[in-house]
Amino acid sequence: MAKQTEEDKILYRINKRFLKGVVDYGLIRDGDKILVGLSGGKDSMALLELLALRSRIYKPRFSVIAVHVQMSNIEYKSDTAYLEEFSHSLSVPFYTYTTSFDPSTDTRKSPCFLCSWNRRKALFTVAKEHGCNKIALGHHMDDILETLLMNMTFQGAISTMPPALVMRKFDMTIIRPMCLLHESDLIEMARIRGYRKQIKNCPYEKDSHRSDMKEVLRRLEEMNPEARYSLWSSMNNIQSDMLPIVVPPQADCDSDSSITNS
């Protein structure tokens, strides 16, 4: 029996965490047709590979397509020929879709949000065209925890990106199969697989608070190496009786009674 290399062990751990996320949150069912948003970054490429390899296993039976969305008004260079070759090497059909957005149409939202939302709408459009019922996005555990911290800090809400989100308006479900993978896992996978880096030149990337939250998460893990798992568990351990929940005002029963009796 051949001895496992260190790289084999890393890929085994990644596949194990990936499968646990898929199973624990019931992300894939028989007959699913899943669109993968393939940006060209390490996360989306790892997602496509992991899903494509999983689709070759008998249960559950599902199929995958890859879609790359281009923004015509943003200088973000992607090697679409490389992305197409990568997809086809996994026996996955590859499609491109070009769209754009005008940041001046809604000054209440950041350009980063508007760009992301318009990319998402494009994925819905292509998914419908190809008969997909699910869209898979490459968010990992770090992304989800950073969003939790951002929403608590800037929105005053305990919310984040869930592993599965049913979009009834679009008759579509968004899934995040890498929800239990760490970003460090994907950095290692990209190194082992030799994913080619895309040239990023987004004018709005610096406006995002996400890089700040990466640092917050890193500092929390310095204080407690298990911090990410505590944060993750906290989302399923909300002790409402120990939170300052505002009680709505009650009617004055005595006053009502005196009026009735008079």
Side-chain angles (χ1 to χ4, degrees):
M1 184 175 178
K3 185 178 179 180
Q4 271 197 327
T5 66
E6 191 60 34
E7 292 184 347
D8 290 334
K9 292 176 182 177
I10 292 171
L11 293 174
Y12 175 80
R13 184 185 72 238
I14 289 171
N15 273 285
K16 186 176 180 180
R17 285 181 178 167
F18 175 79
L19 180 58
K20 180 173 173 58
V22 168
V23 172
D24 283 2
Y25 297 101
L27 302 184
I28 301 176
R29 305 293 186 201
D30 272 320
D32 282 346
K33 186 172 184 180
I34 303 173
L35 179 151
V36 174
L38 185 63
S39 68
K42 69 180 186 313
D43 302 337
S44 65
M45 295 187 72
L47 174 62
L48 183 63
E49 179 172 343
L50 290 166
L51 276 176
L53 295 176
R54 188 68 196 169
S55 70
R56 299 172 188 174
I57 298 174
Y58 184 70
K59 287 284 188 176
R61 301 299 295 170
F62 67 96
S63 58
V64 181
I65 68 169
V67 176
H68 177 70
V69 176
Q70 296 175 313
M71 280 290 175
S72 60
N73 61 321
I74 293 182
E75 189 179 352
Y76 187 114
K77 298 178 182 178
S78 297
D79 187 344
T80 53
Y82 169 66
L83 297 181
E84 183 173 14
E85 178 186 353
F86 177 76
S87 300
H88 288 170
S89 72
L90 297 168
S91 301
V92 173
F94 174 81
Y95 305 93
T96 60
Y97 187 93
T98 302
T99 186
S100 64
F101 76 102
D102 182 358
S104 67
T105 57
D106 189 348
T107 55
R108 298 169 301 172
K109 302 291 187 180
S110 69
C112 186
F113 174 88
L114 294 173
C115 179
S116 176
W117 176 238
N118 279 276
R119 288 178 186 274
R120 191 73 53 83
K121 286 199 297 184
L123 293 179
F124 287 133
T125 298
V126 181
K128 285 293 185 184
E129 289 177 354
H130 292 276
C132 298
N133 65 314
K134 290 180 178 176
I135 295 173
L137 301 179
H139 298 122
H140 44 70
M141 181 183 276
D142 296 58
D143 290 326
I144 293 172
L145 293 178
E146 289 157 12
T147 301
L148 172 68
L149 294 170
M150 286 174 66
N151 288 349
M152 292 174 67
T153 303
F154 296 103
Q155 304 296 331
I158 299 176
S159 64
T160 188
M161 303 179 292
L165 179 62
V166 178
M167 306 288 288
R168 292 183 175 83
K169 180 179 178 181
F170 298 96
D171 191 26
M172 192 73 57
T173 298
I174 292 176
I175 60 173
R176 297 178 171 92
M178 299 197 302
C179 58
L180 297 185
L181 287 173
H182 304 176
E183 184 172 23
S184 58
D185 292 330
L186 301 175
I187 291 172
E188 284 294 300
M189 185 168 178
R191 177 187 63 81
I192 293 169
R193 294 303 199 204
Y195 296 154
R196 189 183 306 169
K197 289 185 177 180
Q198 301 293 300
I199 301 173
K200 295 179 68 175
N201 190 22
C202 176
Y204 306 121
E205 191 171 30
K206 64 182 182 296
D207 298 330
S208 173
H209 290 291
R210 188 163 294 279
S211 59
D212 297 326
M213 286 304 158
K214 284 182 182 293
E215 177 63 16
V216 171
L217 184 59
R218 187 189 68 79
R219 291 293 301 275
L220 289 172
E221 288 191 297
E222 281 184 357
M223 291 186 284
N224 174 19
E226 300 297 313
R228 70 171 55 233
Y229 303 110
S230 294
L231 285 169
W232 190 270
S233 296
S234 72
M235 292 186 282
N236 287 300
N237 186 26
I238 298 175
Q239 301 174 12
S240 57
D241 57 333
M242 301 298 290
L243 295 173
I245 297 175
V246 176
V247 178
Q250 296 180 347
D252 189 338
C253 296
D254 292 338
S255 298
D256 292 343
S257 177
S258 63
I259 293 172
T260 303
N261 294 335
S262 60

